[in-house]
Amino acid sequence: MSKPEIRIAIDCMGGDVGLPATIPAACQFAKQHPDTRLLLAGDAVAIEAALREHGGHGSLWYEILPASEVVLMDDSIEVALRRKKDSSMRVAIQAVKDGRADACISAGNTGAWMAISRYILKTLDGIDRPAIATSIPNQKGGATTMLDLGANVDCSAEHLLQFAIMGSALASTVDRHERPSVGLLNIGEEIIKGNEIVKRAAELLRTSGLNFYGNVEGDDICKGTVDVVVCDGFVGNVVLKSMEGLAKMVGNMMRAEFTRNSLSMAAGMVAKPVLNRFRDRVDNRRYNGAALLGLRGIVIKSHGSADSYAFGCALQRAREAVHNGLLAGTTNAIDRLRQSLQAAAAQSAKIPNELSDPAP
């Protein structure tokens, strides 16, 4: 048997659902991608039982990485990082650090996943803080990459610039945008709008060499005005949760209206094909799988309440990130920008010197 092209480590125990979501997703994913080997981190006995239940036990596509502890959704970062050193979460991340896996994924505690990933893998040169990025469906039929979504509540202008670099790398490598356009989330499109940090970030982005569109507003995310939207983690998380809540509310309201009486139910039967297509387009499970950018390894965060379908989508996201060279793309993008900024700084320093030199 030839060596698998891609290896993904899974924290099988994390999240609101745990094994009932991760193992069925892994089994289905393995059937679709025979070139990928999955490393299943967690309680070995429980994992083997779940594999038997879903017909995957004894197959060649997986390897079990035993872990004696589980990071709970309400565990503090200190507990996850200092006290649970043999957690399924940590074992999965360590597999990336040791070169056994090309990527790792968890549906568990976001703060703990971020903290352990940063502690074990470290950040890339030129990146101060990792950021969480995901794809949000837009009305153009594609998706808008947005970051940060909650990893960094307080950010400087320089941090927002770093997020833009990483988001642009993600959009170009995974989503295949040749030169992704980048927008800075603000309360208006005008240059004078926003707080001082956002204004300063806009100045940095205009001279960064990125394809900076300018300021964008909240409705531009779903319009698909730009490929990448950048903001701090506080704003990004509020936006994301608001969108998820709105989608659920609209779905529930439509369901209630079409079941109100017999006439409405008859109309619903006629409209069912259209409603199903609409449901599929706005189904946030399809876009599950946020990348933790800026680390020395590919780390994917699944939604905590993900079912097997949603977790499978996150696995697909991890595979695409490895296959398309997300880590190398991010590293190269950071290096290119650093060189361009250094060249610009050298040029700006040279001009005053030339002006002050006496004429021959």
Side-chain angles (χ1 to χ4, degrees):
M1 180 177 170
S2 60
K3 183 179 179 181
E5 178 185 355
I6 296 172
R7 299 158 300 163
I8 302 174
I10 303 174
D11 167 20
C12 293
M13 316 303 292
D16 297 333
V17 182
L19 289 173
T22 57
I23 295 302
C27 292
Q28 182 62 33
F29 181 84
K31 293 176 183 177
Q32 298 170 343
H33 302 288
D35 65 339
T36 304
R37 184 171 181 80
L38 301 180
L39 309 181
L40 310 178
D43 184 324
V45 174
I47 290 174
E48 288 175 348
L51 286 169
R52 276 192 291 270
E53 180 181 350
H54 296 282
H57 187 261
S59 302
L60 299 176
W61 54 264
Y62 71 87
E63 175 185 350
I64 295 178
L65 305 180
S68 61
E69 297 173 306
V70 177
V71 174
L72 304 178
M73 296 300 277
D74 58 353
D75 277 345
S76 68
I77 291 177
E78 181 184 1
V79 168
L81 190 60
R82 307 293 181 191
R83 302 181 190 174
K84 294 188 175 181
K85 296 186 177 182
D86 192 41
S87 68
S88 54
M89 187 177 280
R90 187 163 186 150
V91 168
I93 297 169
Q94 190 66 45
V96 175
K97 171 70 173 179
D98 296 340
R100 298 179 64 184
D102 303 302
C104 57
I105 179 172
S106 174
N109 183 318
T110 301
W113 185 239
M114 171 66 80
I116 299 172
S117 297
R118 185 176 183 180
Y119 176 76
I120 293 178
L121 298 176
K122 312 303 180 188
T123 56
L124 294 168
D125 292 338
I127 297 297
D128 297 323
R129 301 179 181 179
I132 301 175
T134 195
S135 297
I136 296 174
N138 59 47
Q139 64 188 43
K140 292 184 176 181
T144 302
T145 297
M146 186 172 176
L147 73 165
D148 178 32
L149 297 177
N152 306 281
V153 175
D154 298 308
C155 299
S156 67
E158 288 72 18
H159 293 144
L160 294 177
L161 171 61
Q162 292 174 14
F163 298 167
I165 298 167
M166 295 187 290
S168 182
L170 177 66
S172 61
T173 55
V174 176
D175 298 321
R176 298 305 181 97
H177 295 294
E178 185 173 346
R179 193 163 182 260
S181 54
V182 178
L184 183 63
L185 191 60
N186 203 341
I187 57 173
E189 297 180 356
E190 299 85 355
I191 295 177
I192 61 171
K193 292 290 183 70
N195 57 37
E196 293 305 314
I197 291 176
V198 171
K199 290 178 184 177
R200 173 58 180 158
E203 293 176 4
L204 295 175
L205 284 164
R206 277 191 285 272
T207 59
S208 67
L210 296 172
N211 184 14
F212 182 52
Y213 172 89
N215 292 332
V216 295
E217 299 181 76
D219 58 342
D220 288 306
I221 300 169
C222 293
K223 283 181 182 178
T225 303
V226 293
D227 300 313
V228 180
V229 171
V230 175
C231 60
D232 66 53
F234 183 92
V235 172
N237 192 265
V238 170
V239 169
L240 180 65
K241 295 298 173 62
S242 297
M243 287 183 172
E244 291 176 351
L246 177 62
K248 290 178 181 178
M249 184 186 73
V250 170
N252 291 335
M253 291 174 67
M254 291 177 65
R255 189 177 302 107
E257 291 301 320
F258 277 112
T259 56
R260 186 175 295 276
N261 52 49
S262 57
L263 184 60
S264 297
M265 292 177 69
M269 291 299 294
V270 174
K272 188 174 181 179
V274 176
L275 294 173
N276 286 340
R277 289 197 297 271
F278 172 77
R279 180 196 61 198
D280 291 340
R281 287 189 65 179
V282 300
D283 187 354
N284 66 309
R285 297 181 305 165
R286 294 175 54 207
Y287 299 91
N288 185 42
L292 274 60
L293 301 177
L295 297 167
R296 297 177 184 272
I298 296 176
V299 180
I300 302 295
K301 175 64 177 70
S302 166
H303 202 293
S305 61
D307 58 13
S308 61
Y309 174 79
F311 197 83
C313 292
L315 278 171
Q316 179 63 33
R317 191 76 172 166
R319 184 183 183 279
E320 289 172 355
V322 176
H323 183 73
N324 294 322
L326 173 61
L327 184 58
T330 304
T331 304
N332 293 336
I334 295 168
D335 288 342
R336 285 195 302 270
L337 183 62
R338 185 189 296 117
Q339 292 170 7
S340 113
L341 291 175
Q342 289 173 347
Q347 184 63 25
S348 64
K350 179 181 179 183
I351 293 174
N353 291 336
E354 291 177 344
L355 292 175
S356 62
D357 286 343

